[in-house]
Amino acid sequence: MHENDDSSNIASKLLGEGTSRREFMDTTAKLGGSALALSALGAGTVAAGDGTQTEGAAVTFQNQETDGSTVMVASAAVPEGGFVAIHDATLLEGEVLGSVIGVSELLDAGEHQNIEVTLFEGVPGAQFDQSALQETQPLIAMPHQNTNGNESYDFVSSQGEADGPYTRAGAPVVGLAYAVVQSQTTMGGETTTAEETTTE
């Protein structure tokens, strides 16, 4: 997996035809606006550092190719330990719980590199009707705390009451990247890879 698109290309894909940058900013306001928008339109990293209990939390999520079953989070800092959850784009529509499609193993307090997250399994309380991403799409990485101390990611199963995200001034710490899905087919004994793209 590797970086595939620059942030300006991602921004245009996220905005889509007929959607203004202002409309996109308004849509992301429900999630703390500035944090998510900076992540989507900028470098893909937003860090908390405002003196709150989550000071130092950060995540870096890069554009990448994937077979649709896993994604790689480049780095994350979880000062009090926790998890990195992967949300799909329905988060931008207010689906805070239903958008969670994957979560990392429990991370010790500190900084972590190259965190592989399996998608569509291992999320307590979530049910999925697919086992992999079917098309190229934006995903959101979000560090979560382990507030109840039981070493299990309970954000979804508790309806958001436990293991909430690390925040900055009330906004979640997030990183947004494009996951470019590669499909593999076998022809004449050789395996070829083709990019799955969305159709307008």
Side-chain angles (χ1 to χ4, degrees):
M1 289 183 283
H2 58 80
E3 188 167 343
N4 189 71
D5 286 323
D6 62 30
S7 58
S8 61
N9 286 338
I10 290 177
S12 65
K13 290 178 181 178
L14 286 174
L15 289 166
E17 292 185 11
T19 302
S20 70
R21 184 177 298 262
R22 181 63 179 170
E23 288 171 329
F24 178 75
M25 296 289 282
D26 290 343
T27 299
T28 63
K30 68 184 70 174
L31 296 174
S34 60
L36 189 55
L38 283 172
S39 167
L41 302 176
T45 304
V46 177
D50 59 352
T52 69
Q53 65 176 358
T54 60
E55 180 176 0
V59 63
T60 301
F61 195 29
Q62 298 176 323
N63 312 323
Q64 60 193 264
E65 294 179 352
T66 173
D67 64 1
S69 63
T70 64
V71 291
M72 187 73 72
V73 178
S75 66
V78 283
E80 300 173 3
F83 313 87
V84 176
I86 302 296
H87 296 253
D88 65 22
T90 61
L91 179 63
L92 302 178
E93 301 167 4
E95 290 291 337
V96 177
L97 301 176
S99 63
V100 180
I101 61 171
V103 66
S104 71
E105 296 180 351
L106 178 67
L107 303 174
D108 293 333
E111 298 182 3
H112 301 265
Q113 308 290 325
N114 299 323
I115 306 159
E116 187 173 45
V117 180
T118 299
L119 304 179
F120 303 106
E121 66 176 59
V123 181
Q127 296 183 341
F128 305 110
D129 57 7
Q130 63 191 83
S131 59
L133 297 173
Q134 302 301 308
E135 59 188 13
T136 295
Q137 61 189 270
L139 297 177
I140 300 159
M142 185 183 298
H144 280 248
Q145 302 174 73
N146 182 28
T147 59
N148 58 17
N150 69 354
E151 302 185 356
S152 173
Y153 177 75
D154 297 324
F155 182 72
V156 176
S157 60
S158 70
Q159 297 295 299
E161 293 296 320
D163 299 346
Y166 280 93
T167 62
R168 176 184 182 182
V173 176
V174 296
L176 191 149
Y178 231 75
V180 179
V181 176
Q182 303 291 313
S183 64
Q184 293 187 337
T185 58
T186 302
M187 299 178 62
E190 296 183 358
T191 299
T192 59
T193 302
E195 178 181 335
E196 294 289 341
T197 59
T198 58
T199 57
E200 295 294 335

